[in-house]
Amino acid sequence: MRPFLEKLPFTAESSLAILNRRLDDAIPFQWHHHPEFELTLTLNSVGQRFVGDHVGEYGDGDLVLVGPDLPHTWASRDKVAADAPHVALVMWFHPDWARLVVDGFAELGAVGALLKRARNGLGFSTSTAAAVRSRFEQLFVAPPAARLLGLLSVLDELARDTDAAVLSSHAVDGLKAGESRERIDRVLLHIHMHYARPLPLEELAEVGALSLSGLHRMFVKHTGVTVSDYLIRMRIGDACARLSGTDQPIGHVADAVGYASLANFNRQFRALKGMTPRDYRRRFRGG
């Protein structure tokens, strides 16, 4: 499985691209990126989302804004209603379009600030997602002009969500002319597919067709962190999702995300989250 640059379905009639994706079986893990912003509302589905180095749980009504070229995917685990499909309502718009709109209208200053934050990915609060849900759904049956105006209204409300959570620890810098993400994407995909087992640097260097020093330079350039730090964030992110979303024993969680030593898991979890795994579970599962 290769990471891929997604080509989006823009038409001559609209500056926005949309997709009403309905899947009976599952939302598959498809690690990809594209130069556009992406606003995704996920319905009737439960699972994990991966955005940059973020791993988190999602459920029905999950609303996320992903920044340009930030690798991401969703992977479902179950449905809410078994007789209905998984649904992903997805809308894309190009940074150049966003820049023209925001720079052209002083009233959209808050939207401009929102888009800057979204370069790391933003997960919106449950209350805000619920408040805009019906309006966002209507955009997928609206004519192009109404869709455009409706999206601006939705973005303006999202910009006022003070509880929106930044997802990835890093954004992605725009590519220079002639530059390719193929090697870093191969390495990132390999990490996302295998982070729960030991991943020697030599293995990752081979995946990226790089020397060890080349792997280090490329990885830090594109992610802002070392391979080791990225792996820790992936594993602890997965652990957080398991702690808050399942009843798995903490020792089982540690083993499932790649820690042979429970003491090492507890130490790295506390360093990253500022609390023990047990305290995290109590806080996010209401005791």
Side-chain angles (χ1 to χ4, degrees):
M1 179 178 178
R2 290 169 58 87
F4 63 93
L5 173 65
E6 189 173 29
K7 304 295 185 179
L8 305 181
F10 286 91
T11 67
E13 293 77 25
S14 178
S15 56
L16 308 172
I18 62 172
L19 175 65
N20 185 338
R21 191 183 192 195
R22 295 173 179 267
L23 298 166
D24 288 324
D25 295 331
I27 297 176
F29 186 102
Q30 294 178 321
W31 189 236
H32 66 285
H33 62 92
H34 39 71
E36 293 82 9
F37 285 95
E38 175 183 312
L39 184 59
T40 295
L41 175 66
T42 310
L43 305 173
N44 195 48
S45 187
V46 176
Q48 287 184 304
R49 51 170 144 80
F50 302 77
V51 180
D53 61 5
H54 159 83
V55 184
E57 287 282 298
Y58 76 84
D60 181 57
D62 183 67
L63 185 62
V64 170
L65 181 58
V66 177
D69 286 311
L70 187 61
H72 57 280
T73 189
W74 276 243
S76 62
R77 183 172 62 247
D78 202 358
K79 297 179 184 179
V80 178
D83 58 346
H86 300 270
V87 177
L89 299 178
V90 189
M91 186 167 292
W92 298 279
F93 50 93
H94 198 276
D96 291 343
W97 172 88
R99 192 175 303 111
L100 286 171
V101 170
V102 171
D103 289 349
F105 297 95
E107 297 85 351
L108 296 177
V111 174
L114 171 75
L115 298 181
K116 287 181 181 178
R117 294 173 63 210
R119 290 188 172 274
N120 293 68
L122 285 176
F124 296 100
S125 65
T126 301
S127 58
T128 295
V132 303
R133 176 170 172 165
S134 61
R135 277 189 287 151
F136 190 66
E137 290 181 276
Q138 286 300 311
L139 299 183
F140 290 79
V141 295
R147 184 183 303 137
L148 170 63
L149 296 174
L151 174 63
L152 293 177
S153 174
V154 167
L155 290 175
D156 184 63
E157 184 158 351
L158 295 181
R160 303 177 199 289
D161 183 2
T162 57
D163 293 322
V166 176
L167 300 180
S168 179
S169 65
H170 66 278
V172 175
D173 294 330
L175 299 180
K176 298 177 182 178
E179 188 177 9
S180 171
R181 282 187 54 96
E182 182 180 356
R183 290 186 178 187
I184 185 63
D185 280 343
R186 287 205 306 266
V187 173
L188 288 172
L189 177 62
H190 195 76
I191 289 174
H192 276 253
M193 296 297 289
H194 303 288
Y195 63 84
R197 67 167 174 82
L199 278 177
L201 291 178
E202 290 81 4
E203 179 180 333
L204 295 176
E206 183 177 354
V207 168
L210 295 159
S211 65
L212 289 176
S213 60
L215 170 68
H216 175 76
R217 286 194 301 271
M218 181 193 71
F219 204 90
V220 171
K221 174 185 176 183
H222 284 279
T223 70
V225 295
T226 64
V227 172
S228 176
D229 286 342
Y230 192 91
L231 274 168
I232 289 171
R233 288 170 177 161
M234 288 291 302
R235 290 166 175 162
I236 299 303
D238 190 0
C240 288
R242 292 170 184 266
L243 290 167
S244 62
T246 76
D247 293 316
Q248 295 173 353
I250 291 174
H252 179 88
V253 169
D255 183 67
V257 302
Y259 287 93
S261 165
L262 181 58
N264 188 32
F265 170 66
N266 286 329
R267 182 169 56 254
Q268 292 192 354
F269 193 100
R270 183 191 286 273
L272 199 61
K273 295 298 179 180
M275 66 184 82
T276 67
R278 191 176 304 279
D279 288 340
Y280 184 93
R281 170 166 275 170
R282 285 176 180 149
R283 175 177 296 186
F284 291 98
R285 301 199 74 185

